[in-house]
Amino acid sequence: MARIGVFVCHCGENIGRTVRADEVAEFAKRIPGTVYSADYPYFCSAPGQKILAEAIREHELTGVVVAACSPQLHEPTFRGAACQAGLNPFQCEMANIREQCSWVHPDRDEATAKACSIVAATVERVKRAQALTPVQVPVTRRALVIGGGVAGIRAALDVANTGSPVVLVEREPSLGGNMARLSETFPTLDCSQCILTPLMVEVSRHPQIEVLTLSEVEEVKGFVGNFKVKIRKKASFVRAEDCTACGDCVAACPEAVPNEFDMGLAWRKAIYIPFPQAVPSTYTLDADRCLNARLDSETGFRLLACVRCSEVCKPRAIDYDMPDEVVEREVGAIVVATGYKLLAGEPAAECGYGIHPDVVDGLEFERLLSASGPTGGEVRRPSDGKTPEDVVFIQCVGSRDPKRGVPYCSRICCMYTAKHVALLKHKLHDVRATVFFMDVRAGGKGYEEFVQRVAKEERVLYLRGQVSQVVKRNGKLVVHGVDTLSGQAVELPADLVVVALPTGPIRNERLSAALRIPTDAHGFFQELHPKLRPVETLTAGIYLAGAAQAPKDIPDAVCQASAAASKSVELLSQPMLQREPTTAVIDDTHCSGCFECLAVCAYGAIERNEIRDRRGAITRVVARVNPAVCEGCGVCSVTCRNGNIDLAGCTEEQIFAQLAALGPAPPGRDTIEETDEGAPARAADRV
Amino acid sequence: MEQRGWRLSAEDVRTWVDRLIAEGREVIAPVEGRGPRVFRPLGCAAEACLDPGKTRWSPKEFLFPRTETLYHYRLRADGPELHDPPLAERERVLFGVRPCDAAGLVRLDEVFLDGPVQDPLYARRRELTTVVALACQEAGPECFCTAVGGSPMGTEGVDVLVLPFGADWLVRAVTDKGRALAAESWTRAHAGQWSLAADQVRRVEQRIARAPVAGDVAAVLERRFEDPVWQETARRCVSCSICAYVCPSCSCFDVHHEGDAWGGREIRCWDACTFPLFTRHASGHNPRGGSAARYRQRALHKFAYLLPDAERTTRCVGCGRCIALCPAGIDIHDTVTRTAAGAEGEGADA
Amino acid sequence: MREPLPERPTASDAGPAAPQPGWQPNVVAMVCRWCTYAGADLAGTSRLTYPAAVRLLRFPCTGRMNPMFVVKAFEQGADGVLVSGCHPGDCHYVQGNLHARRRFATFKALMEFVGVDPRRLHFSWVSASEGTKWVRVVEQVTAAVREAGPARPPAGGPDSAPPADAETARRPASAEELQALAERLRRVAGELLEQQTASIVLGYTRGTLPDRAVPGFITRPEQAQQLVWDSGCHHNLSVYLPRTRGGEGKVAAVVKRCDVATVVGLLQERQLRRDELHLIGVQCDGVWEGDRLAARCRACDGTVPALCDVAVAAEGARAQQVAVEPDPRDAAIAHLETLSPDARREYWQGEFERCIRCYACRAVCPLCYCETCIAEKHRPQWISPAIDATGNTAWNLVRAFHLAGRCTGCDACARACPAEIRLDLLNRKLARVVEDRFDYRPGTDPAQAPPLTEFRDDDAEEFIL
Amino acid sequence: MPEVGPLRNPYRPGLLRIETLRDETPDVRTLGLCFVDEQEGRRLGGWEPGQFGEYTVFGAGECVFAIANAAPDDDGGEPPRVECTFRAVGKVTTALRGLGAGSVIGFRGPYGNAFPLAEWRGHDLAFLGGGIGMAALRAALCAVLRHRSDYGEVLVLNGARSVADLVYQEEMPAWAGLDGVRVVRAVDPGGETADWDGEVGLIPEVFERLGLAPDGRIVVACGPPVMLHFLFEALGKLGYSPGQVITTLENKMKCGFGQCGRCNVGSFYVCRDGPVVSWERMQALPADF
């Protein structure tokens, strides 16, 4: 039988003024199961806690109810005190008779009556409280960073610098991401490559970082602290350890294809290095473009039609039989930094993007500006290589356009367009530059100053307006738009048009399914809380960095990367993770395997558990909770129609007992009005 | 037999019932209202329905309630304080009971009164209850009282027997208890009228086309304990308890405990051998885990196990309700007679 | 002769009796700890005042609150219940409140339909910063409960049963047509067994009572001749599917249009595997009980759904298509909805009073496949086993609620019920609520997620304060 | 119709207070119970070994176990003390386990038949208990040991899955100390500890190994169904006749006196005609276990 102690606090006058604490304590004595009760001016004081601890020992209490203030305030205090006296902390509960009783009900009788009822319900709850111990989860001290752009690089370095190993996975042959494509960066106009390349090199040399390029995450199993990740390393057909990066193979290769790194504005060979500063600095044979036909299987080639690269390769680094390799890594934390891409939609097409070669997007223009780009840094238009005289920049081509594009602001376009204008003007002083814009949003450090400077100093026309279409007339592009300030239709000739396309997520269904983290309506990964937990995700141990979560500029992406790294390190720095024991508990003996619990669990804490017979054949598939992942919301328990899922610390037995104690004396049980039939008139007949 | 009984008009019967009520008795009779025809306590005679046909379920709940309290308790500092439930005090007439249902009450008596322990709640109710039976005016396709030794005008468990006689009724007291309900002023009936009325009922009886259940059925069924017929028939069984709950002679129950912080009660509720949980141990082991074992238990409990005397071959009274209402179309009479006859598991019931 | 029991101790025993003239309502508030509980604390720290009638119960999340807790609270004598949690978007557990919103929207509709006075059941979103809103909500709820008065057993009122269903213009299919279908069906079944595509065929066979087909399990080709097809083939045989194993071959089942819907539900809920099933869809002109066309058939054209593996239908063009009529269950629901809550409660309590808890409704329902039903769970006791108003009401409510968003309206439960409780109306009402609110119709797409496992950010919440 | 006098409420339990608690294994506990009202205890009189009682945990419900001790011989002395040994498996037994010394529970009974101790006089006896099955035999064993001279040799074979699961470890030395009593402890293969000095093997095996000849010996066995199944097989091989073997059955019971209808095996009601039954009689029952 439970032996419960009830401690009614006066809280000085705070409770005592309206609740007669001595009467409540006296009442508590009558509740079956209560063996001790006391009232005291301040139970939270040191002598008060001593009374509590002594009573626990002396009366061998199995549960404690402290009727005092809100548990949000002093629950840890009293649980701590009870714990020191030998009770499990979860066998100590508070009855809130201050915030929710004495302070809000001026009538002494009403308040005292209510306090009694709160105490009775809490006693019932504690009687059925189980001792719970925190869930201990071992942690694998290694992080996985997905994405080798600037966010991924930063996160990897930050984690690795604390001494924890990192696996950095990049889909492309080289690290660098979109930032590597940029010419200069706003607002300081320092060279992107110059600041990024050292970081890339640092990563590649870091003893704690394993870089896996040309690789993709295929499968993520496990849970916080204990992920098992399968990564597919695609064959590069060039043995990195043998390749000297001499480039002879490139010269020999007969097949030229558009270079993705240059946004298709230049050519590369089927065997290539994406850009000179690529890390790792090894060559890759693009199996899809190589003249040799690809095997149906994932390894090697079926027929060798051309072996020129191999013939010229002195270190014999070419291996046509190289297979894809699937490696498995165990990690404790995962940082997702998959970055962004530009989205071309209907508004882009109206601006001639994808139709006229001289309509380019921001990244293409970066390459045209870049000293390492296809034009060596000279701005020439793609169609014929002429130097443009009129350049028109169009902002918000799809951004902030809920009907035809995306509703959100892409955040970087205003700034990079200002940068583009500045760089353009530096290179071509006489060019006429016009910017169509909706608003100029320049909310970063030094951003507004930069835009103002560009607008003032660079003789650029900022036109508030919208572009309806871009057409080609007499060999020249004509931009049709409206100056929304004057309401006048505008028609501008252009040699080159730069459209600011929306930044959107890299949609990788397979990855998001593997990670079990949801995406928002636009496909960006969803953070756990937009304000307070912007780095975490619904899946504990998986963090977000950079534009994978939302459009970001470099400083913001790097900032979040460091935050994600910090979160990962927080997790990896402890050998065992302690988690609240108030988790869902499944009794699978009667589970029918509908898995609606799994469907409603936001945390992926429910797993399918196959029960097998002695011969190993699956007899049933039932649900199982992973307490390391469960957050204890209890949504699953309501979904389970036959009540197989309970919630530790808030069990159905406790809830029912509380409900029974909260109500008034049920007349059917109090004064037993039996009919001859024996059916007592029960209060319940009321529903 | 000097028992000539009486002849009552419909009006007389109404007056009779109203008088029984006025004298302080609770009169319980078939009532038609929303839902099916069932036995309910009458406010006045006009509420009773004495039309042909039977009620959806037997009136057993007035002796063996669906749920009743066995004792109450209140928790005190020094331990629980126990209280017995009150015993029934009011005299009661079950009116318009079909003979099969009246016989069913005797089956209940055997369980609750004839064993080593007598149930005081039941005993008191039984003592206060008088049964007025009404001979059948029609027989349904499910009826088989005659197959188990009953009759549409059987008198087992009956205190007063009423036979339809044209628009009137012939009334005869079967027991002294029944005689106490009669009135001095009633018109006597004569023997000729009785034989006419009995002929009428016999015509109903002849419409019951079901084969009699053989006298040695108990032994045969126990021998055929492992017969595939149980499996084949029970395959359809969905494990509800309609058959048991509408049955006049089923008497199984469960004992539950209901309590809150302050006290509680022990209750007895109807239960049925067709429910899987009926026999499941706390360990999970279930001696009758399959529907076949449960259906066999039910059939054998009716036709083989624990028959009180050698003469009676069944505990089943042949009302046929379990057949008419089974959502899976299981027919216990068919199963039992075919099994007893050694029939293979062929035919409609396969 | 019985000793009067001593009174249960109450607060007033603890001291001088409180001078409480008349009745004080008892309102149970189930609140989430992160938002509303904190909001109520804020009301306290701000020294606001509100009626003492409300008693709080702290939960981690509204998503943990089982609607059956509300039923329990009323059972235990609450005069009113308030459920309160975080505003959408504020949930500590991201989406618990959004699941709760769907559940309680459905549950509230059920409670109102069975006549629980809407003034007794309330919902609100109160954030941790809304101390004043908490006060306002409590005042509003308490006032409403006070107006509704003490919860009391139904008083017994006039009979308010729905009128009889309107006459149907439809007629049963002709005997020749049925005969032709039956023969085709036998042939199909025989071939399936012959070719060992299926190892068992669930179909209808002749029962021992006239005009009553019963479920039959056919395992040998020659037994296929026992199969019947007529307008008395009421059973929804899909109830047998989850428990029937085909061994080497598939399990074939004879299904009507309405039965296929429950098969879809079973597939959705992983109780069946499509590749182990062989569905023999039969064109059905409706099932008849005497001269009464089953309610569910009135609005159904009986054609064979595409999900079936084989369709047994009339050959060639039919002279006359089945005329679809309004569903009479809707008329009955509409009638009940014109009644006052009290009258509706009267009606439903009258229905539940007859319940003998035989659980036939559950046993015949293909979607009631739980190994052990919540009604049998006694740790804690969810549903009182007592066959009385309390237990019966709780059982009938939980059954209906557990089928919300799942029940396809096959009416097997109502047909089996020996007490003729209008379970069909409860089911149908909830099906319509789910369709109206969540734009979901059960039994159509095996790949669809059940509506109460999902939510939309913009689910209607007009019922939430 | 039988005469109905003022009948006793058969469901209303007497009240017992928990005096002693002893944990036999991690989940098996033995309670020593005394009557709250001594008069009530005296009215109960006594019980025969093999009979069982219904124990009520107020707030949780009733559960059924054998009475694990023998009633006092003389009826004039102190009121009887009831002992029971139970495993916490369900709702009520878990609640019972939660009770401490001084708690009050309900008790009604005794119910059922008893071991035919009188018939055993002069015979050698073997008590074979598997797991908690020993609890059902303990009352008979106690009675036999109390009148040691009335019986022949006594073997006690107490077996369990593992050493930790062995009940009555405290008492076995005292039993073994008596003249002509042999106590064999056995655990299933794999359940032994490093310092285990008892037998290893399943009870049927161990008994076979002991090689006790059947002549006149009465075997009293209780354990899980699968143990009994193999034990009967083994006994058959050793030449024991079904009449020599006695067991006690367990089935779900509610009323305790043959009314609620669930514990029957054919016409045999475990609560009323059992729980004690000979192997011979069991063979005649339908296979409805």
Side-chain angles (χ1 to χ4, degrees), chain A residues 139-143 159 164-165 225 331-333 567-575:
Chain A
V139 177
T140 306
R141 193 175 172 205
R142 183 181 294 114
V159 173
S164 295
V331 299
K567 278 282 162 199
S568 307
V569 170
E570 178 189 343
L571 170 63
L572 300 182
S573 62
Q574 37 198 344

Side-chain angles (χ1 to χ4, degrees), chain C residues 383-397:
Chain C
I383 311 291
S384 168
I387 310 173
D388 60 10
T390 311
N392 292 358
T393 302
W395 162 246
N396 281 282
L397 290 180

Side-chain angles (χ1 to χ4, degrees), chain B residues 245-315:
Chain B
Y245 286 6
V246 301
C247 175
S249 71
C250 269
S251 61
C252 289
F253 58 85
D254 200 355
V255 176
H256 289 280
H257 199 80
E258 285 192 332
D260 60 17
W262 311 100
R265 60 175 189 158
E266 189 87 351
I267 55 173
R268 163 161 73 194
C269 303
W270 284 3
D271 203 353
C273 59
T274 48
F275 286 138
L277 292 189
F278 189 64
T279 48
R280 195 171 77 186
H281 296 189
S283 66
H285 170 68
N286 195 343
R288 293 197 279 269
S291 59
R294 295 192 290 271
Y295 179 54
R296 177 177 63 199
Q297 158 69 17
R298 182 171 145 75
L300 267 67
H301 197 189
K302 290 283 171 250
F303 291 93
Y305 300 155
L306 288 171
L307 301 172
D309 52 69
E311 278 166 41
R312 253 228 331 280
T313 54
T314 73
R315 288 177 47 80

Side-chain angles (χ1 to χ4, degrees), chain A residues 15-36:
Chain A
I15 290 169
R17 191 176 295 122
T18 46
V19 171
R20 292 185 290 266
D22 53 337
E23 285 179 20
V24 177
E26 208 45 49
F27 164 80
K29 281 203 174 76
R30 304 183 186 198
I31 306 170
T34 309
V35 293
Y36 177 82

